[in-house]
Amino acid sequence: MTDVVGKMTERLLVDAGITLGMRVLDVGCGSGDVALLLAKQVGESGQVVGIDQDVQALAAASVRVRQLALANVTFTQGDISALSPDLAPFDAVVGRRVLMYLPKPVDVLRRIAAVVRPGGRVVFQEHDSIMVPGRVTPMPMHEQVHAWIWQTVQREGANIHMGFDLPIVLAQAGLAVEHVRAEAVIQTPDVPYRVAAIVRAMLARIVRQGVAREQDVDIETLEQRLTAERVEANAVYVSDMVFGAWARKPQ
């Protein structure tokens, strides 16, 4: 199944000017999905540094890098709101689904910008719930799954409208916003999205936040039920909106 959001991220990085030879910081890197995209963009002459607080995620990221024999990617454990000046300077900093989880994203962005060279790029991608789900034909199972995901994220304290807030947050952090975009994740009768896999990965969180019980989700049959509904409805369903923006640190 095509990684739709991954393709969106890759386009964003290219258009934002992440290119060969750059030294790039991936904040909130998790298990390394964005870092691997960056490694391709900066090439062997560049460098990618991923930072995250989650030790297990970093361990998984390191395994992936070793398996791919990438010499231009390293990972470090740390708090993105308290970056060491020793990490600087970077030509660019990149983050995906990071700002939405920060109580004070503007303050954190100012600290992140401190390790970026003057004129360097700051690139972020964030999801937003306000325009989804989008549909003409009712699709109750899809809508229920959508609600499980976003209610869980919101109860965890995230800003579920960070996509719309993204350019404002960047500007308030003192950065010069150059471009903002929004792209839709669309499901058609014959082109699904990996929503069942997302729910499987989030299941413990969904239950912990009291959004749904395991028996309500019935994860082992979820993909089959979603597929049946999508085929029967023979309709288009917009399941997510992904905002991307890039800005520059003033000279």
Side-chain angles (χ1 to χ4, degrees):
M1 190 180 296
T2 301
D3 181 3
V4 178
V5 176
K7 294 295 184 183
M8 292 179 183
T9 306
E10 191 169 16
R11 288 194 296 273
L12 180 66
L13 297 176
V14 171
D15 294 346
I18 306 300
T19 189
L20 294 174
M22 280 188 166
R23 186 168 188 260
V24 183
L25 178 65
D26 178 13
V27 294
C29 63
S31 59
D33 289 346
V34 176
L36 296 183
L37 294 176
L38 288 167
K40 176 182 175 183
Q41 294 300 122
V42 304
E44 294 181 1
S45 61
Q47 182 186 20
V48 178
V49 178
I51 184 168
D52 202 291
Q53 286 186 308
D54 190 329
V55 177
Q56 290 185 333
L58 291 175
S62 297
V63 169
R64 297 173 74 184
V65 165
R66 286 197 299 271
Q67 289 175 339
L68 293 169
L70 295 175
N72 61 346
V73 183
T74 58
F75 297 102
T76 184
Q77 185 190 14
D79 182 354
I80 67 171
S81 64
L83 295 175
S84 170
D86 294 339
L87 289 171
F90 288 95
D91 299 302
V93 62
V94 174
R96 184 170 75 177
R97 292 194 296 270
V98 173
L99 299 179
M100 65 188 296
Y101 289 103
L102 301 177
K104 296 181 178 180
V106 174
D107 291 346
V108 175
L109 269 174
R110 288 182 180 136
R111 297 188 188 106
I112 289 172
V115 300
V116 178
R117 65 169 178 78
R121 296 164 174 81
V122 177
V123 187
F124 277 88
Q125 190 178 61
E126 298 285 339
H127 293 226
D128 198 296
S129 72
I130 200 166
M131 296 173 67
V132 290
R135 71 281 190 214
V136 174
T137 303
M139 298 175 71
M141 186 74 255
H142 282 70
E143 291 157 23
Q144 179 63 79
V145 169
H146 175 272
W148 287 338
I149 292 170
W150 280 108
Q151 286 175 19
T152 299
V153 171
Q154 186 172 36
R155 290 186 186 185
E156 290 173 336
N159 175 5
I160 62 174
H161 304 312
M162 179 51 77
F164 273 94
D165 290 343
L166 182 54
I168 298 168
V169 167
L170 289 168
Q172 288 178 343
L175 301 165
V177 179
E178 294 190 340
H179 182 79
V180 183
R181 67 175 54 159
E183 298 180 86
V185 174
I186 299 174
Q187 298 188 65
T188 65
D190 56 346
V191 179
Y193 182 53
R194 55 189 186 93
V195 65
I198 292 172
V199 173
R200 183 182 292 275
M202 290 183 63
L203 185 57
R205 293 162 58 193
I206 291 170
V207 173
R208 185 163 58 247
Q209 293 299 328
V211 172
R213 301 171 301 172
E214 285 195 30
Q215 55 264 45
D216 298 328
V217 176
D218 191 7
I219 193 64
E220 299 305 328
T221 67
L222 183 59
E223 177 110 40
Q224 179 183 353
R225 286 179 287 136
L226 287 170
T227 299
E229 181 178 74
R230 190 172 57 253
V231 171
E232 182 179 356
N234 193 33
V236 171
Y237 180 84
V238 181
S239 60
D240 207 350
M241 288 297 297
V242 184
F243 284 70
W246 66 83
R248 284 188 183 269
K249 180 177 178 178
Q251 292 282 355

